Coordinates of all heavy atoms in Angstrom, one line a residue:
G863 N 13.0 -69.4 -181.5 CA 14.1 -70.5 -181.2 C 14.0 -71.1 -179.8 O 12.9 -71.1 -179.3
R864 N 15.0 -71.2 -179.3 CA 15.2 -71.8 -177.9 C 14.8 -70.9 -176.8 O 15.3 -69.7 -176.9 CB 16.5 -72.5 -177.7 CG 16.8 -73.2 -176.4 CD 18.2 -73.6 -176.3 NE 19.1 -72.6 -176.0 CZ 19.7 -72.4 -174.9 NH1 19.5 -73.2 -173.8 NH2 20.5 -71.4 -174.7
A865 N 14.0 -71.1 -175.8 CA 13.6 -70.3 -174.7 C 14.4 -70.6 -173.5 O 14.5 -71.9 -173.2 CB 12.1 -70.2 -174.5
T866 N 14.9 -69.8 -172.7 CA 15.5 -70.1 -171.3 C 15.0 -69.0 -170.4 O 14.4 -68.0 -170.8 CB 17.0 -70.0 -171.3 OG1 17.4 -68.6 -171.7 CG2 17.6 -71.0 -172.4
L867 N 15.0 -69.4 -169.1 CA 14.5 -68.5 -168.1 C 15.8 -68.1 -167.3 O 16.5 -68.9 -166.7 CB 13.5 -69.1 -167.1 CG 13.0 -68.3 -166.0 CD1 12.3 -67.0 -166.5 CD2 12.1 -69.1 -165.1
E868 N 16.2 -66.8 -167.4 CA 17.4 -66.4 -166.8 C 17.1 -65.6 -165.5 O 16.4 -64.6 -165.5 CB 18.2 -65.4 -167.8 CG 19.4 -64.9 -167.1 CD 20.2 -64.0 -168.2 OE1 20.1 -64.3 -169.4 OE2 20.9 -63.1 -167.8
L869 N 17.4 -66.2 -164.4 CA 17.1 -65.6 -163.0 C 18.5 -64.9 -162.5 O 19.5 -65.6 -162.5 CB 16.7 -66.6 -162.0 CG 15.5 -67.4 -162.5 CD1 15.1 -68.6 -161.6 CD2 14.2 -66.4 -162.7
V870 N 18.3 -63.6 -162.2 CA 19.6 -62.9 -161.7 C 19.2 -62.3 -160.4 O 18.1 -61.8 -160.2 CB 20.1 -61.8 -162.7 CG1 20.5 -62.5 -164.0 CG2 19.1 -60.9 -163.0
N871 N 20.3 -62.3 -159.5 CA 20.1 -61.4 -158.3 C 20.5 -60.0 -158.4 O 20.9 -59.6 -159.6 CB 20.9 -62.0 -157.0 CG 22.3 -61.9 -157.3 OD1 22.9 -61.3 -158.2 ND2 23.1 -62.6 -156.4
T872 N 20.2 -59.1 -157.5 CA 20.4 -57.7 -157.7 C 21.9 -57.3 -158.2 O 22.1 -56.5 -159.1 CB 20.0 -56.9 -156.5 OG1 18.6 -57.3 -156.2 CG2 20.2 -55.5 -156.6
P873 N 22.9 -57.8 -157.5 CA 24.2 -57.5 -157.9 C 24.5 -57.9 -159.3 O 25.2 -57.2 -160.1 CB 25.2 -58.3 -157.0 CG 24.3 -58.4 -155.7 CD 22.9 -58.6 -156.2
Q874 N 24.0 -59.0 -159.8 CA 24.2 -59.5 -161.2 C 23.4 -58.5 -162.2 O 23.9 -58.1 -163.2 CB 23.7 -60.9 -161.4 CG 23.9 -61.3 -162.8 CD 25.3 -61.5 -163.3 OE1 26.2 -61.7 -162.5 NE2 25.6 -61.5 -164.7
R875 N 22.2 -58.1 -161.8 CA 21.5 -57.2 -162.6 C 22.2 -55.9 -162.8 O 22.4 -55.3 -163.8 CB 20.1 -56.9 -162.0 CG 19.3 -55.9 -162.8 CD 18.0 -55.6 -162.3 NE 18.1 -54.8 -161.0 CZ 17.2 -54.5 -160.2 NH1 16.0 -54.8 -160.5 NH2 17.4 -53.8 -159.2
D876 N 22.8 -55.4 -161.7 CA 23.5 -54.1 -161.7 C 24.8 -54.3 -162.6 O 25.2 -53.4 -163.2 CB 23.9 -53.7 -160.2 CG 22.7 -53.5 -159.4 OD1 21.5 -53.2 -159.9 OD2 22.8 -53.3 -158.1
L877 N 25.5 -55.4 -162.4 CA 26.7 -55.7 -163.2 C 26.3 -55.6 -164.7 O 27.1 -55.1 -165.5 CB 27.2 -57.0 -162.8 CG 28.6 -57.5 -163.6 CD1 29.7 -56.5 -163.4 CD2 28.9 -58.8 -163.2
I878 N 25.3 -56.4 -165.0 CA 24.8 -56.3 -166.5 C 24.6 -54.9 -167.0 O 25.0 -54.5 -168.1 CB 23.6 -57.2 -166.6 CG1 24.1 -58.7 -166.5 CG2 23.1 -57.1 -168.1 CD1 22.8 -59.7 -166.3
D879 N 23.9 -54.2 -166.2 CA 23.6 -52.8 -166.5 C 24.9 -51.9 -166.7 O 25.0 -51.2 -167.7 CB 22.7 -52.0 -165.5 CG 21.2 -52.3 -165.6 OD1 20.8 -53.0 -166.7 OD2 20.4 -51.9 -164.8
E880 N 25.8 -52.3 -165.8 CA 27.0 -51.4 -165.9 C 27.8 -51.8 -167.1 O 28.3 -50.9 -167.9 CB 27.9 -51.7 -164.7 CG 29.2 -50.9 -164.6 CD 29.1 -49.4 -164.6 OE1 28.1 -48.8 -164.1 OE2 29.9 -48.7 -165.3
L881 N 27.9 -53.1 -167.5 CA 28.6 -53.6 -168.6 C 27.9 -53.2 -170.0 O 28.6 -52.8 -171.0 CB 28.9 -55.1 -168.6 CG 29.8 -55.5 -167.4 CD1 29.7 -57.1 -167.3 CD2 31.2 -55.0 -167.7
E882 N 26.6 -53.3 -170.1 CA 25.9 -52.9 -171.3 C 25.6 -51.6 -171.5 O 25.5 -51.1 -172.7 CB 24.5 -53.9 -171.2 CG 24.7 -55.3 -171.5 CD 23.3 -56.0 -171.6 OE1 22.3 -55.3 -171.6 OE2 23.3 -57.2 -171.7
V883 N 25.3 -50.9 -170.4 CA 24.8 -49.5 -170.7 C 25.7 -48.5 -169.9 O 25.7 -47.3 -170.4 CB 23.3 -49.4 -170.0 CG1 22.7 -48.1 -170.3 CG2 22.4 -50.5 -170.6
G884 N 26.3 -48.8 -168.9 CA 27.1 -47.9 -168.1 C 26.4 -47.2 -167.0 O 26.9 -46.3 -166.2
R885 N 25.1 -47.5 -166.7 CA 24.4 -47.0 -165.6 C 23.3 -47.9 -165.4 O 22.8 -48.7 -166.2 CB 23.9 -45.5 -166.0 CG 22.9 -45.5 -167.1 CD 22.6 -44.1 -167.7 NE 21.5 -44.1 -168.5 CZ 21.5 -44.5 -169.8 NH1 22.7 -44.9 -170.3 NH2 20.5 -44.4 -170.6
P886 N 22.5 -47.8 -164.1 CA 21.4 -48.6 -163.9 C 20.2 -48.2 -164.7 O 19.9 -47.0 -164.7 CB 21.2 -48.3 -162.4 CG 22.2 -47.5 -161.8 CD 23.1 -47.0 -163.1
V887 N 19.6 -49.2 -165.4 CA 18.5 -48.9 -166.2 C 17.4 -50.0 -166.1 O 16.3 -49.8 -166.6 CB 18.8 -48.7 -167.8 CG1 19.5 -47.3 -167.8 CG2 19.5 -49.9 -168.3
S888 N 17.8 -51.2 -165.6 CA 16.9 -52.3 -165.6 C 15.6 -52.2 -164.8 O 15.6 -51.4 -163.8 CB 17.7 -53.7 -165.2 OG 18.5 -54.1 -166.2
R889 N 14.7 -52.9 -165.3 CA 13.4 -53.0 -164.5 C 13.4 -54.5 -164.0 O 14.3 -55.3 -164.1 CB 12.2 -52.8 -165.4 CG 12.3 -51.3 -166.0 CD 10.9 -51.0 -166.7 NE 11.2 -49.7 -167.4 CZ 11.5 -49.6 -168.6 NH1 11.8 -50.7 -169.5 NH2 11.7 -48.4 -169.2
E890 N 12.2 -55.0 -163.6 CA 12.2 -56.3 -163.0 C 12.2 -57.3 -164.2 O 12.4 -58.4 -163.8 CB 10.9 -56.4 -162.2 CG 10.8 -55.6 -160.9 CD 12.0 -55.9 -159.9 OE1 12.2 -57.1 -159.6 OE2 12.7 -54.9 -159.6
M891 N 11.9 -56.9 -165.3 CA 11.9 -57.8 -166.4 C 12.5 -57.3 -167.7 O 12.4 -56.0 -167.9 CB 10.4 -58.3 -166.7 CG 10.4 -59.4 -167.8 SD 8.7 -59.9 -168.4 CE 8.4 -58.6 -169.5
R892 N 13.3 -58.1 -168.3 CA 14.0 -57.6 -169.6 C 13.9 -58.9 -170.4 O 14.0 -60.0 -170.1 CB 15.4 -57.1 -169.3 CG 16.2 -56.9 -170.5 CD 17.6 -56.3 -170.1 NE 18.3 -57.2 -169.1 CZ 19.0 -58.2 -169.3 NH1 19.3 -58.5 -170.6 NH2 19.6 -58.9 -168.3
V893 N 13.6 -58.5 -171.7 CA 13.7 -59.7 -172.8 C 15.1 -59.6 -173.5 O 15.5 -58.6 -173.9 CB 12.5 -59.5 -173.8 CG1 12.6 -60.6 -174.9 CG2 11.2 -59.6 -173.1
A894 N 15.6 -60.7 -173.6 CA 16.9 -61.0 -174.4 C 16.7 -61.9 -175.5 O 16.2 -63.1 -175.2 CB 18.0 -61.4 -173.4
L895 N 17.1 -61.5 -176.7 CA 17.1 -62.3 -177.8 C 18.5 -62.6 -178.3 O 19.2 -61.6 -178.6 CB 16.2 -61.7 -178.9 CG 14.8 -61.4 -178.5 CD1 14.1 -60.7 -179.7 CD2 14.0 -62.7 -178.2
E896 N 18.9 -63.8 -178.5 CA 20.1 -64.1 -179.3 C 19.9 -64.0 -180.7 O 18.9 -64.6 -181.2 CB 20.6 -65.5 -178.7 CG 22.0 -65.7 -179.4 CD 22.6 -67.1 -179.0 OE1 21.8 -68.0 -178.4 OE2 23.7 -67.4 -179.3
V897 N 20.7 -63.2 -181.4 CA 20.6 -63.0 -182.8 C 21.9 -63.3 -183.6 O 22.9 -63.4 -182.9 CB 20.1 -61.5 -183.0 CG1 18.7 -61.3 -182.5 CG2 21.1 -60.6 -182.5
D898 N 21.8 -63.5 -184.9 CA 23.0 -63.8 -185.7 C 24.1 -62.7 -185.7 O 25.2 -62.9 -185.5 CB 22.6 -64.1 -187.1 CG 21.8 -65.4 -187.1 OD1 22.1 -66.3 -186.3 OD2 21.1 -65.6 -188.2
D899 N 23.6 -61.4 -185.7 CA 24.4 -60.2 -185.8 C 23.7 -59.1 -185.0 O 22.8 -58.5 -185.4 CB 24.5 -59.8 -187.3 CG 25.4 -58.6 -187.5 OD1 25.5 -57.8 -186.6 OD2 25.8 -58.4 -188.6
A900 N 24.3 -58.9 -183.8 CA 23.7 -57.8 -182.9 C 23.6 -56.5 -183.5 O 22.7 -55.7 -183.2 CB 24.5 -57.9 -181.6
A901 N 24.7 -56.1 -184.2 CA 24.7 -54.7 -184.8 C 23.6 -54.6 -185.8 O 22.8 -53.6 -185.9 CB 26.0 -54.4 -185.4
A902 N 23.5 -55.6 -186.7 CA 22.3 -55.6 -187.8 C 21.1 -55.6 -187.2 O 20.1 -55.0 -187.5 CB 22.7 -56.6 -188.9
A903 N 20.9 -56.5 -186.2 CA 19.5 -56.6 -185.5 C 19.2 -55.4 -184.8 O 18.1 -54.9 -184.8 CB 19.5 -57.8 -184.5
T904 N 20.2 -54.7 -184.2 CA 19.9 -53.5 -183.6 C 19.4 -52.4 -184.6 O 18.4 -51.7 -184.3 CB 21.2 -52.9 -182.8 OG1 21.5 -53.9 -181.8 CG2 21.0 -51.6 -182.2

């Protein structure tokens, strides 16, 4: 589908990790895919 390049600074990366996972886990690169149903796709 549509591709975008998402650039985040360190505080934003940390915030995303906290909200999605509850702890720091990110690396320098992560792939994000928008899907119709996140639960079913998971």
